Amino acid sequence: MLQPTIPSDVDRHSATVRSGRVWLRVRRWACVGLGLLVALPNFGCHRYHSVPETIGQRTDCVDAVLCQIGAPAAAVVATVDHVPAPVTLRSTEQLESSPMREISLRDALSMALENHSVLRDLGAGVLRVPEQLQSEYSESLQRLDPQESVEAALSAFDAQFYAFGKWQNNDRRFNNRFFGGGANAFKQDTHDYVFQLSKRTPTGAQFSVRSVTDYDANNATGNLTDSAWQTQLHAEARQPLLQGGGLQFNRIAGPAAVPGVYNGVLIAKVNSEITSAKFEQGVRDYVSNVINAYWDLYFAYRDADAKRDAMLRSEQTWKSYEAQKSSNRQSGAAEALAREQYYRFRSEYQDAVAGKPSMRTQNGNSSTGGAFAGVGGVQAAERRLRLILGLPISDGTLLRPSDDPSIASIEFDWQSISSEAVLLRSELQQQRLKIKQREMELLAAKNFLMPSLDFVTLYRLRGLDKNLGGSDSAISDLTSFDLQEYEASLELKLPVGFRQGHLAVRHAKLQVARERAVLAEQQRQIIHDLTAMVAECDRAFAQVETNRQRYLAASDALAALETSQQAGMPINFDQLLDAQRRVSESQSRYYAALVEYTIATKNVHLEKGTLLRTSDVLLIAERRERPVD
């Protein structure tokens, strides 16, 4: 009978030497593992050196951020470019003496698109809803989204490297030799190392190559050697046969998807296209607002001109009757009425020059592209144009439009423009993409009505010896292919009733029905808006002709009265004052009709989805990301 052995000093020394050798081997393997970890990033598309920033002990950056969070607003120093004080026109003569800068509509659009880091609007959306604003970063943000981008969906199929190491020392006493391997005192050193490389395929299969190596040194009496290395090489494949299998499901939902959450390559691609369509819509609205602001400023100048002419005429009339009053040839009532009208026109001219903070033409103002508000004010309109163009709000000059509205009659072919609207509007393109997305999600949801049945196969090579490497070692034993194993299995998982799967299918069907209903209603709304804009275009053109004739008639009437007055013929004083008002009102109304017609024409192109094309704006996909500090 074997007696329990108590290790002697020599045994302990031998065990120490063996442990030292093993520790040297561990260090070698650890160095190899670290080398692999360092080298792995070099095999990818990108390499990042962020170890000092992410796992270092320096907290300078986060401490600075926390100080800013806890500090009062006055302590946070913001860098703001120097902006000169605004020029306020306190006298009517300052408008004529201010330096002017002529600008065409084409130049305005060019400036706007050159300064479009954020697609501005005229409703202060950058303060109210900054998260909803489109910018030059929108498409790049979607393309680089770590959760929902195409690259994120493809990352599920990237090869995954896994490494595991464990070291253990056991020193135990057992009351029964059977439990101690034939000895009551059991000493053991173990090492375990696992290296695995796995990859998923578009069919849902997962292939793995795995290396398993373990070292065991103990004093069990039945050992072939006092220490031994065992190494294994596994080649494993797992293929879903029903749920989770197939190209269609994995391209839509991605591997390891759950009901209702689908983030495959095709879904990510649709999301990318929707983002591009939204960006195109944002650029369209931006261009529309630039055009609106440009013609608002044009009208403001023309309205100010009309008010100035009326003020000068009324001033001349007032001075004339004031002279007659001093010579007692005319009653004081006429002079007072002429003076009142002069100050009335002067007040209107002051407002026409400075303007007031009231609603002006912008997108969503009674229509998609905005309805002309007809509000004057040179300074206010000029500041708005500078704001949307990205220019300094004040630089000592005044922008002045150099283009004039077109008065040519435009007739649209209804069948053509209605077809273009349904085909080209970015809102409808986005909705059609959403329908395709919901239809793909429905196909993926039906996959969850099947049980989970996986076929698993495993091939294994083994090697065992006292040493890990060398002529007589575990690795040489493994490469001899003497110890080979193979196993295959089927794994079935079947939720009784498929309650979640049925919910996913019904939910996906309702999503498809909803998106289709929204598309139909959007088409109705767009056809309605296009009809309204075509009718508005015809109405505005008729108003241009009518108000031009009205302006000419009022001018002729005033000229006749002024000619009679200069000839010394008696005239009706009330008619003279009324004629001056009529000329001023008809002149402003004529230019307002011109701008209304121009805005209506622009809105027809917006409604039928051709505004960017008619404005000579071309969107080109840019795949190079701007550097971010």
Side-chain angles (χ1 to χ4, degrees):
M1 178 179 295
L2 295 175
Q3 297 294 329
T5 58
I6 304 298
S8 64
D9 294 339
V10 175
D11 294 333
R12 291 191 181 95
H13 177 72
S14 300
T16 304
V17 172
R18 288 195 301 270
S19 299
R21 292 173 182 171
V22 170
W23 176 244
L24 290 176
R25 297 191 186 101
V26 170
R27 290 183 61 185
R28 293 193 192 103
W29 279 101
C31 292
V32 172
L34 287 175
L36 287 173
L37 291 176
V38 171
L40 274 176
N42 296 325
F43 294 104
C45 297
H46 306 281
R47 183 177 180 182
Y48 300 102
H49 302 279
S50 59
V51 173
E53 298 178 3
T54 55
I55 65 174
Q57 304 302 319
R58 296 184 59 182
T59 60
D60 300 345
C61 295
V62 68
D63 290 341
V65 173
L66 289 176
C67 289
Q68 292 182 1
I69 293 175
V76 180
V77 179
T79 58
V80 181
D81 295 335
H82 175 70
V83 178
V87 178
T88 56
L89 304 183
R90 297 182 179 273
S91 65
T92 57
E93 292 77 12
Q94 285 184 275
L95 180 62
E96 289 78 9
S97 62
S98 298
M100 296 291 178
R101 176 184 173 186
E102 298 281 341
I103 181 173
S104 66
L105 180 57
R106 180 180 293 273
D107 291 339
L109 290 174
S110 178
M111 292 179 187
L113 295 176
E114 288 176 359
N115 303 320
H116 75 295
S117 59
V118 173
L119 298 181
R120 310 170 189 87
D121 66 352
L122 294 174
V126 69
L127 298 178
R128 294 185 293 103
V129 284
E131 68 281 353
Q132 297 180 11
L133 288 182
Q134 294 290 327
S135 69
E136 63 176 328
Y137 306 102
S138 297
E139 291 187 281
S140 296
L141 284 172
Q142 199 285 328
R143 190 166 58 252
L144 300 178
D145 191 306
Q147 297 295 331
E148 299 182 356
S149 64
V150 175
E151 290 292 327
L154 290 173
S155 67
F157 301 97
D158 290 346
Q160 302 291 325
F161 177 76
Y162 170 79
F164 170 80
K166 185 176 73 171
W167 303 268
Q168 184 176 1
N169 175 268
N170 297 313
D171 191 358
R172 306 175 186 174
R173 288 186 178 275
F174 295 97
N175 188 42
N176 191 304
R177 299 182 194 175
F178 177 78
F179 296 105
N184 295 103
F186 183 74
K187 292 182 177 293
Q188 182 185 38
D189 286 322
T190 64
H191 305 174
D192 295 289
Y193 308 97
V194 178
F195 298 95
Q196 175 179 291
L197 189 65
S198 61
K199 180 175 176 57
R200 289 187 179 273
T201 68
T203 63
Q206 182 172 5
F207 295 96
S208 303
V209 178
R210 186 183 310 111
S211 170
V212 180
T213 303
D214 61 85
Y215 170 80
D216 189 356
N218 62 70
N219 63 338
T221 58
N223 290 340
L224 182 64
T225 61
D226 55 354
S227 64
W229 285 90
Q230 179 178 227
T231 182
Q232 304 176 38
L233 187 62
H234 300 176
E236 182 180 358
R238 175 183 290 268
Q239 173 64 58
L241 301 179
L242 295 177
Q243 185 182 125
L247 286 172
Q248 177 175 273
F249 175 80
N250 283 277
R251 292 177 67 190
I252 296 173
V258 296
V261 181
Y262 313 106
N263 193 27
V265 177
L266 294 181
I267 297 296
K269 178 63 176 176
V270 171
N271 289 332
S272 177
E273 295 297 328
I274 291 176
T275 300
S276 298
K278 285 183 178 179
F279 180 73
E280 179 182 350
Q281 179 183 346
V283 174
R284 178 206 68 188
D285 292 342
Y286 182 48
V287 169
S288 175
N289 272 327
V290 171
I291 297 174
N292 290 339
Y294 184 86
W295 293 117
D296 273 352
L297 182 57
Y298 172 88
F299 171 75
Y301 275 106
R302 297 300 180 269
D303 183 59
D305 291 342
K307 299 297 193 298
R308 182 193 58 199
D309 293 342
M311 182 188 67
L312 295 177
R313 283 193 297 264
S314 63
E315 183 181 18
Q316 185 178 3
T317 302
W318 170 40
K319 297 299 182 183
S320 173
Y321 279 91
E322 186 179 31
Q324 296 178 18
K325 175 186 176 182
S326 61
S327 60
N328 295 323
R329 291 185 298 168
Q330 189 72 20
S331 66
E335 181 274 335
L337 289 174
R339 176 158 41 94
E340 183 275 336
Q341 180 147 294
Y342 163 74
Y343 283 109
R344 172 186 177 180
F345 286 139
R346 183 178 179 84
S347 172
E348 293 177 355
Y349 179 58
Q350 289 171 343
D351 283 343
V353 169
K356 293 184 290 187
S358 56
M359 176 68 73
R360 285 171 171 78
T361 310
Q362 64 186 46
N363 291 344
N365 177 20
S366 301
S367 66
T368 305
F372 177 61
V375 179
V378 172
Q379 276 194 301
E382 198 260 355
R383 284 194 298 269
R384 285 165 56 85
L385 182 59
R386 283 180 173 273
L387 173 66
I388 200 165
L389 295 185
L391 298 176
I393 302 302
S394 176
D395 62 1
T397 63
L398 288 177
L399 300 179
R400 186 182 182 99
S402 60
D403 293 346
D404 290 317
S406 173
I407 58 174
S409 176
I410 301 177
E411 294 184 3
F412 296 97
D413 180 70
W414 174 251
Q415 295 300 326
S416 297
I417 64 175
S418 60
S419 299
E420 284 182 313
V422 174
L423 180 64
L424 301 178
R425 279 293 291 270
S426 58
E427 292 90 343
L428 297 183
Q429 293 176 4
Q430 295 173 45
Q431 192 61 28
R432 283 191 285 265
L433 287 171
K434 288 181 181 179
I435 291 176
K436 297 302 181 183
Q437 177 180 344
R438 300 307 185 191
E439 290 174 346
M440 288 191 293
E441 290 176 353
L442 176 58
L443 291 175
K446 292 179 179 179
N447 183 269
F448 292 101
L449 294 178
M450 295 185 293
S452 174
L453 180 63
D454 294 353
F455 173 71
V456 184
T457 180
L458 175 65
Y459 174 75
R460 183 187 300 112
L461 287 175
R462 290 182 180 271
L464 176 69
D465 212 316
K466 184 174 183 179
N467 298 316
L468 178 61
S471 57
D472 295 326
S473 62
I475 294 179
S476 63
D477 191 24
L478 180 141
T479 55
S480 67
F481 293 92
D482 291 337
L483 304 176
Q484 302 184 44
E485 300 175 349
Y486 172 79
E487 67 180 60
S489 62
L490 286 173
E491 297 181 8
L492 176 66
K493 181 180 179 182
L494 188 150
V496 179
F498 293 96
R499 179 180 299 184
Q500 192 176 29
H502 283 294
L503 284 175
V505 171
R506 292 173 62 186
H507 184 267
K509 287 182 177 179
L510 286 177
Q511 290 275 40
V512 172
R514 178 192 177 277
E515 302 299 346
R516 288 176 177 171
V518 170
L519 176 64
E521 195 59 32
Q522 284 181 336
Q523 290 178 350
R524 282 174 49 84
Q525 183 67 45
I526 286 175
I527 295 300
H528 167 271
D529 294 344
L530 180 61
T531 304
M533 286 302 102
V534 171
E536 169 63 14
C537 194
D538 292 340
R539 182 205 68 81
F541 181 76
Q543 286 292 315
V544 169
E545 291 296 318
T546 302
N547 283 282
R548 185 172 68 89
Q549 295 299 329
R550 175 189 172 189
Y551 175 44
L552 293 176
S555 298
D556 291 343
L558 178 60
L561 288 172
E562 289 178 343
T563 301
S564 299
Q565 185 183 33
Q566 293 172 1
M569 300 175 59
I571 61 171
N572 188 305
F573 176 72
D574 292 335
Q575 285 184 350
L576 178 61
L577 296 183
D578 184 62
Q580 291 177 350
R581 289 193 298 269
R582 289 178 182 273
V583 169
S584 177
E585 293 172 359
S586 61
Q587 185 178 359
S588 294
R589 187 65 193 93
Y590 168 66
Y591 285 112
L594 275 178
V595 177
E596 285 176 357
Y597 179 59
T598 303
I599 296 296
T601 304
K602 180 266 298 181
N603 285 344
V604 171
H605 289 288
L606 186 148
E607 295 293 347
K608 68 189 187 76
T610 58
L611 178 61
L612 295 181
R613 186 172 63 193
T614 55
S615 301
D616 295 330
V617 176
L618 177 63
L619 296 181
I620 301 176
E622 179 64 49
R623 295 301 178 188
R624 177 176 55 85
E625 286 77 32
R626 292 184 56 184
V628 179
D629 294 334

